[in-house]
Amino acid sequence: MREKRFEVVVAGCGVAGLSAAVAAAEAGARVAVLERAPPEERGGQSRYTEAYLRMKSEAEVTDDFETHLAENSSGTLDPDLIAESAQPRGQRAAYAAALSMAEPDVIATFADEAGPTIAWLKGFGLRFDFLPTQFLTRSQPRLLPVGGGLALVDGLAARAEALGVEMLYDITAERLERDEDGRVAGLLARSRQAGPVRLRGRVVLACGGFEGNAEMLARYIGPRAAFLRPICKGAHFNRGDGIRMALELGAATAGDFGSYHAEPIDPRSGVSEPSVFIFPYGILINKDGQRFTDEAPGTVDAHYESITRRIFEQRDGIAHVVLDARHQRVPNYRRALRTDQPPIVADSLEALAVTLAVPPAALAATVRGYNAACVPGDWRPLEADGLATQGLDPPKSNWAMPIDEPPFHAYPIISANVFTFGGVKVDSDARVLDGDGAPIEGLYAAGEIIGTYYRTYTGATSVLKGLVFGRLAGRHAARRGNAA
């Protein structure tokens, strides 16, 4: 078997892996990056995302950043255990040493290092701005890299190559290896062209979640995962290999393995992220022609995930948003439609029902009941206007206007799987922890593979998490590698 020696070996070529590689190389380490894809498809999901960042400036995260993460950082835990997790790591009770949760110090590090990470990226040419997003209403600002995720991938890869990082394409990491002292000392991989290879060095796992692994999806999320679709083609490279390899070594877990980040998309489209965020201005119906959720409990950025989860629960995991002509008077309404497919249009609700293959009488009854519950008021489509239905179950809490002005439009919506929530537990240096809460020497993680989220995703933090913890992992791995 061929063997190659490095100081840091990074599995994954998205923004997390590339950040780790660049940071390690800047610290003087010899670095290799493994990428399952060919060069022209490198970057996994990162190359397809617009890479929203939950920051109010290039130096500061949003005001709710740490609070929202903390509120969604664990499942249902004994409050005494949560309090115990705030103790210094060496002073905790044994049963609280490796709780399945995002640690408070890790969340604090995430927030503190976001600004310096953006400054670091700007140092080799990447640019950021507060560009328009697809959300017509939102509760928090969003910073974006100019050029989106692809600009991050290309900029980081160019920096890595300039620093001498060896980029290995069409290669898959298969198993971690330990030395006689129990430290992770490298990994076994399989090259599509050259066969098996042993790569020596400290390892950073940055190879994503398990969106592209049907078996893991069914095992953790359940059989209804068959109704999910990855948000983009790059997600099919994410097969849970890094999680599996870490768990085989006894890594502690964090994040909700039975959940994922949900986004509403048009199933007719094959483009990346064909989102449909227009539903607050209409009603959502299932295949029986019935409403099943409040379409507009607040700003869409804060609530689209919970609404998409309700869509996923419907028969065959699909719903339709039904709109009348009024939605076309919402300023810039097309920004809320990322699909490349046209609306389904009809001059009557009956004709629309036939096209949607829902019972016409049921749709007519649903719209009639909804319209009767709408009350006069000041419709303000670009802010939460409190214009709510009365006496309707489920209610509609904002933008409740009758559906009575033809032509009528509809879009099908399913839940996309943007990324899975379950992963490994790390400390604030991005070191993977074992079941006793101790670092697994020589093993780091960055990006989606770090289990962070429960219940509701803290929007616009996933790419930022990859950048921040990739940089931390690379710096620490290079430092320890040089010391050794």
Side-chain angles (χ1 to χ4, degrees):
M1 182 185 296
R2 292 185 308 128
E3 181 172 302
K4 304 186 76 170
R5 290 185 175 271
F6 301 91
E7 287 167 308
V8 179
V9 178
V10 181
C13 191
V15 297
L18 289 170
S19 293
V22 170
E26 287 180 341
R30 298 188 307 277
V31 183
V33 172
L34 283 69
E35 169 62 291
R36 171 175 254 147
E40 64 273 13
E41 295 176 14
R42 71 182 180 189
Q45 298 208 86
S46 298
R47 71 179 289 117
Y48 293 95
T49 180
E50 290 188 327
Y52 299 119
L53 309 175
R54 199 181 187 100
M55 302 184 72
K56 64 181 180 181
S57 72
E58 291 182 354
E60 298 176 289
V61 296
T62 60
D63 294 336
D64 72 338
F65 189 93
E66 291 183 72
T67 300
H68 198 285
L69 281 168
E71 289 175 346
N72 296 279
S73 65
S74 69
T76 303
L77 291 179
D78 181 330
D80 291 343
L81 295 185
I82 296 175
E84 191 71 23
S85 72
Q87 297 293 325
R89 194 172 296 277
Q91 300 176 23
R92 297 178 192 174
Y95 49 71
L99 295 173
S100 187
M101 64 178 292
E103 299 282 355
D105 62 328
V106 173
I107 293 173
T109 297
F110 187 4
D112 292 343
E113 291 293 329
T117 298
I118 297 301
W120 173 67
L121 294 165
K122 291 179 66 180
F124 46 87
L126 289 161
R127 297 181 297 124
F128 298 84
D129 201 354
F130 286 94
L131 303 173
T133 77
Q134 71 263 51
F135 300 130
L136 297 178
T137 61
R138 60 182 185 268
S139 60
Q140 293 294 330
R142 297 285 194 271
L143 184 71
L144 283 85
V146 176
L150 183 57
L152 292 176
V153 169
D154 287 346
L156 283 162
R159 176 65 172 159
E161 290 163 351
L163 290 166
V165 172
E166 187 164 341
M167 308 291 284
L168 305 174
Y169 295 102
D170 292 314
I171 188 169
T172 300
E174 293 187 332
R175 188 173 78 244
L176 296 168
E177 291 197 321
R178 280 177 152 158
D179 63 18
E180 61 275 10
D181 296 318
R183 294 175 298 192
V184 172
L187 55 78
L188 293 177
R190 182 170 296 277
S191 165
R192 198 171 303 166
Q193 287 78 32
V197 59
R198 175 176 283 113
L199 302 170
R200 295 292 192 183
R202 289 175 173 265
V203 175
V204 180
L205 297 173
C207 39
F210 50 92
E211 304 85 32
N213 186 323
E215 187 275 334
M216 289 183 73
L217 289 170
R219 183 179 357 144
Y220 290 120
I221 295 176
R224 288 186 60 80
F227 296 126
L228 293 175
R229 192 179 98 184
I231 191 69
C232 64
K233 293 176 175 62
H236 291 285
F237 291 113
N238 292 356
R239 296 171 194 160
D241 299 310
I243 296 171
R244 173 187 54 78
M245 290 188 292
L247 294 183
E248 287 173 352
L249 263 62
T253 62
D256 184 353
F257 275 79
S259 192
Y260 64 97
H261 175 33
E263 187 168 312
I265 64 166
D266 185 340
R268 302 172 299 167
S269 177
V271 303
S272 173
E273 203 168 355
S275 307
V276 178
F277 290 115
I278 199 73
F279 54 79
Y281 305 108
I283 60 171
L284 285 166
I285 60 163
N286 57 25
K287 294 183 78 170
D288 299 316
Q290 298 173 342
R291 290 179 66 245
F292 52 88
T293 192
D294 185 343
E295 298 88 352
T299 57
V300 70
D301 68 316
H303 295 281
Y304 74 81
E305 180 166 52
S306 62
I307 294 170
T308 304
R309 293 189 188 285
R310 294 288 290 118
I311 292 171
F312 177 57
E313 294 168 359
Q314 304 308 302
R315 180 158 60 95
D316 296 338
I318 192 169
H320 287 86
V321 57
V322 174
L323 307 134
D324 71 358
R326 187 179 286 103
H327 81 279
Q328 296 175 300
R329 297 197 289 274
V330 177
N332 300 313
Y333 78 93
R334 287 187 177 86
R335 276 176 35 200
L337 293 163
R338 297 290 304 278
T339 177
D340 61 347
Q341 297 299 304
I344 299 163
V345 182
D347 289 328
S348 69
L349 288 170
E350 181 181 36
L352 187 69
V354 170
T355 304
L356 300 183
V358 302
L363 178 59
T366 294
V367 172
R368 187 165 56 249
Y370 166 76
N371 288 350
C374 293
V375 298
D378 185 13
W379 184 61
R380 301 187 302 277
L382 298 186
E383 60 183 279
D385 60 7
L387 188 57
T389 57
Q390 291 187 1
L392 188 66
D393 185 24
K396 184 176 180 185
S397 300
N398 289 279
W399 307 298
M401 296 291 285
I403 306 291
D404 59 5
E405 184 180 333
F408 301 97
H409 289 206
Y411 293 88
I413 302 176
I414 64 169
S415 174
N417 182 355
V418 184
F419 56 83
T420 47
F421 281 176
V424 300
K425 188 179 178 73
V426 300
D427 66 10
S428 55
D429 288 315
R431 297 180 295 180
V432 177
L433 303 180
D434 66 17
D436 295 317
I440 299 175
E441 287 296 324
L443 185 61
Y444 300 79
E448 288 178 14
I449 192 173
I450 297 177
T452 307
Y453 309 106
Y454 294 78
R455 292 182 296 277
T456 300
Y457 168 55
T458 303
T461 58
S462 179
V463 170
L464 191 58
K465 182 177 72 167
L467 295 166
V468 167
F469 286 95
R471 180 170 174 247
L472 292 171
R475 287 193 311 189
H476 198 276
R479 184 166 66 246
R480 296 298 295 274
N482 291 335

